[in-house]
Amino acid sequence: MRDVISEKVRQHFAPMSIYKDPNSTDSLFAGRNLPAFVKDFLLKKYLNPDGSIDRGKLTAFLDMVIPKEASEVKDKIGRGDSLTLLVRFIVYIDLVKGVRRFAIPDLGIKLNEGIIPEYVYNQHTGTLVDGERWGIIKLCLMPDDDGKKNHVEMVDYKPFKPYKSVDVAYLREARQSFTTDEWIDLLLSAMEYDADSFENMHQKLEFLTRLFIFVEPRLNVVELAPKGTGKSYVFGNLSKYGWLVSGGKVTRAKLFYDKQKQQNGIIKNHDFTVFDEIQTITFQEPSEIQAALKSYLETGKTTIDNNEFTSECGLMLMGNIQLTSNRLPQSPRYFDALPVYFRESALLDRFHCFIEGWYLPRINKSMIYKGWTINVEYFSEILHALRTENSYGLLFDDLVVYDKKADMRDFKAVKKIATAAMKLLFPHWRSIEDVNFDDFDTYCLQPAIARRGIVKEQCHNIDPEFSTQMLDIRVKVQPSGKFENESNWTL
């Protein structure tokens, strides 16, 4: 299958294709902690026609814009040299004081040391906004206005966005040349994993469910899995539009809105926020965060100190869970693995989807993909673009029929999960005429019902007043070709 995928990628995604060979590329990036979307951009930039890498030119470029040692940067800037860097940095805009600051945590440049001048900021309206950014920036040491101290100034900036736009129509057209099995394997290869190393289709689909929050706005997910199943890598390396919180202290101000700084939190400007190793994260004033989360998870809005906060960012809780020798949970009460302040049924019921991470394989070196696939930067951009495609949600409404008395929270959850699956697995579906109803039922609707059903069952384990009964929802068009049209059903 790997050869088939490689050939079809080169045929249908030639401009976006890249040859992955972890054995030859790992050493190239040794000592430089770069996410996959940056590595693929660099590999593509120095790719020879035969798929090999011009190692000399790539190494020279890396040495120029990505120093191995943080101390090199401060030393050179301190000597008066200007530096051009490809780097991750954090922006803070204080509109009241008219100050625009940046920090480069990986290089030891703090927020009170970096200044973005007005002319650079004005050149990139809508790009240099609060939050984490990637880009090529030029830095030099400049004196403060009073002449008493110096600061690091960003004198030039080029956003890291190799693809200024991506064409979803192109993706839809290309998808038609792949079978469903081939497309699933392609998606796994784009995530840098070899589909042949998964035991079965169930494992593949469980793994791909992690991408649902990349394509569906405000999809809220819980995943519990043993260590070593690749959770952190997927969310920390495949997209610059997400934020991974790994350990440390989290405040309401950091998540939503900091009144003192008049600054939005990390949820505002990202497609998704992931709490990794949730058991190791300390939440300051958990009751305040819990109250804000309840409102936000339900409607995408919450009020912080009389300020209404809105976002389309999805949230994901990731934690470890103890398993038996058969790799099944030791306890049927899955949510007991979460911190105590998250074990409230009313809060957890607002999460749509549950991923059973214990079915996933432990990642090993043999699972890393080798061959032609689409590069991660293009992959992340197309996933980001699919978020605003509303045709799939409308198509879902045309495809299903459900009980009039159905719980609306359950219905919304099932719709969000199924819509995400449609975007990811069947992006070429535009109308009912395009849809294979068996595939919709098998890959989209039934898994969505099951994943929402787990959330309901676990909420019931915490509070018996929560019902475990799922809504009755079916494919509207039956195999006979007739439409469901019973009086007690909503069409």
Side-chain angles (χ1 to χ4, degrees), residues 367-480:
M367 295 184 68
I368 307 305
Y369 182 76
K370 180 179 180 179
W372 286 94
T373 185
I374 54 178
N375 72 73
V376 173
E377 176 58 19
Y378 170 77
F379 187 53
S380 71
E381 288 293 338
I382 203 69
L383 296 180
H384 176 69
L386 283 168
R387 292 176 67 84
T388 54
E389 293 288 318
N390 63 2
S391 60
Y392 302 96
L394 298 173
L395 183 56
F396 176 88
D397 292 335
D398 290 338
L399 286 168
V400 301
V401 60
Y402 59 95
D403 193 322
K404 290 180 179 179
K405 298 180 180 179
D407 181 275
M408 284 309 298
R409 190 175 287 171
D410 291 343
F411 176 79
K412 290 179 180 178
V414 170
K415 180 176 179 177
K416 277 186 167 292
I417 301 167
T419 300
M422 292 166 67
K423 291 178 178 179
L424 191 66
L425 302 179
F426 307 103
H428 57 303
W429 288 354
R430 301 301 308 278
S431 65
I432 286 183
E433 287 72 25
D434 299 327
V435 177
N436 178 302
F437 297 104
D438 288 338
D439 281 352
F440 173 71
D441 198 46
T442 300
Y443 293 100
C444 305
L445 183 58
Q446 294 307 319
I449 294 171
R451 295 186 187 285
R452 172 58 184 172
I454 295 173
V455 174
K456 285 181 68 72
E457 181 180 358
Q458 295 305 313
C459 287
H460 175 78
N461 289 340
I462 296 173
D463 184 353
E465 290 188 10
F466 274 78
S467 171
T468 60
Q469 182 177 355
M470 274 297 293
L471 78 162
D472 196 346
I473 182 170
R474 307 175 193 174
V475 181
K476 187 186 295 185
V477 180
Q478 299 302 298
S480 63

Side-chain angles (χ1 to χ4, degrees), residues 31-289:
R32 296 179 172 95
N33 186 20
L34 298 175
F37 60 84
V38 175
K39 290 180 182 178
D40 273 14
F41 161 72
L42 296 174
L43 291 173
K44 184 75 173 173
K45 183 179 176 70
Y46 294 101
L47 191 69
N48 294 319
D50 63 355
S52 63
I53 304 299
D54 190 327
R55 300 170 70 90
K57 289 184 179 179
L58 174 55
T59 299
F61 181 79
L62 288 171
D63 289 341
M64 180 176 65
V65 300
I66 306 176
K68 287 187 176 182
E69 300 293 336
S71 57
E72 296 178 20
V73 173
K74 285 196 168 184
D75 182 53
K76 290 181 179 180
I77 292 177
R79 293 200 307 262
D81 297 342
S82 62
L83 286 182
T84 299
L85 304 172
L86 172 59
V87 72
R88 175 183 72 97
F89 61 98
I90 297 173
V91 176
Y92 163 56
I93 308 297
D94 187 336
L95 295 178
V96 175
K97 295 181 179 179
V99 177
R100 304 165 183 89
R101 296 190 176 276
F102 72 95
I104 310 178
D106 297 335
L107 300 179
I109 296 178
K110 300 175 183 178
L111 201 59
N112 62 349
E113 297 174 335
I115 293 290
I116 304 173
E118 186 174 0
Y119 71 89
V120 173
Y121 178 77
N122 290 338
Q123 288 173 359
H124 301 282
T125 304
T127 302
L128 281 172
V129 295
D130 289 333
E132 183 182 85
R133 298 286 172 265
W134 275 90
I136 298 176
I137 58 178
K138 185 175 182 180
L139 306 177
C140 65
L141 196 66
M142 300 287 285
D144 291 348
D145 291 339
D146 59 12
K148 296 180 179 179
K149 294 183 179 181
N150 298 322
H151 62 267
V152 180
E153 188 157 310
M154 183 188 297
V155 296
D156 196 13
Y157 168 60
K158 182 179 180 180
F160 180 77
K161 197 173 178 65
Y163 295 91
K164 294 182 179 180
S165 63
V166 290
D167 189 355
V168 175
Y170 185 96
L171 179 80
R172 293 191 183 107
E173 182 69 23
R175 169 63 178 90
Q176 297 183 60
S177 299
F178 292 77
T179 67
T180 298
D181 285 355
E182 289 170 351
W183 187 253
I184 287 170
D185 287 0
L186 169 62
L187 292 173
L188 290 168
S189 73
M191 297 174 73
E192 303 193 319
Y193 293 98
D194 190 335
D196 292 341
S197 63
F198 289 79
E199 295 178 6
N200 49 50
M201 180 59 72
H202 179 212
Q203 272 194 350
K204 293 179 181 181
L205 292 173
E206 200 73 30
F207 199 86
L208 288 177
T209 304
R210 289 173 169 171
L211 294 181
F212 284 6
I213 62 172
F214 288 63
V215 298
E216 181 64 14
R218 289 204 304 110
L219 178 64
N220 306 314
V221 183
V222 178
E223 177 182 347
L224 298 177
K227 296 180 179 179
T229 54
K231 299 190 297 294
S232 303
Y233 184 83
V234 169
F235 299 106
N237 283 271
L238 299 185
S239 175
K240 59 179 174 288
Y241 296 107
W243 187 287
L244 186 68
V245 180
S246 300
K249 181 180 292 186
V250 174
T251 64
R252 187 181 65 171
K254 182 178 180 180
L255 285 180
F256 294 103
Y257 182 78
D258 190 321
K259 182 180 179 181
Q260 183 176 359
K261 296 180 179 179
Q262 294 188 327
Q263 179 183 12
N264 284 314
I266 58 179
I267 290 177
K268 182 67 176 180
N269 296 311
H270 293 88
D271 287 355
F272 57 86
T273 299
V274 178
F275 297 113
D276 188 20
E277 303 281 357
I278 187 88
Q279 296 94 336
T280 68
I281 297 174
T282 301
F283 290 88
Q284 186 174 330
E285 299 182 3
S287 59
E288 285 189 356
I289 293 179

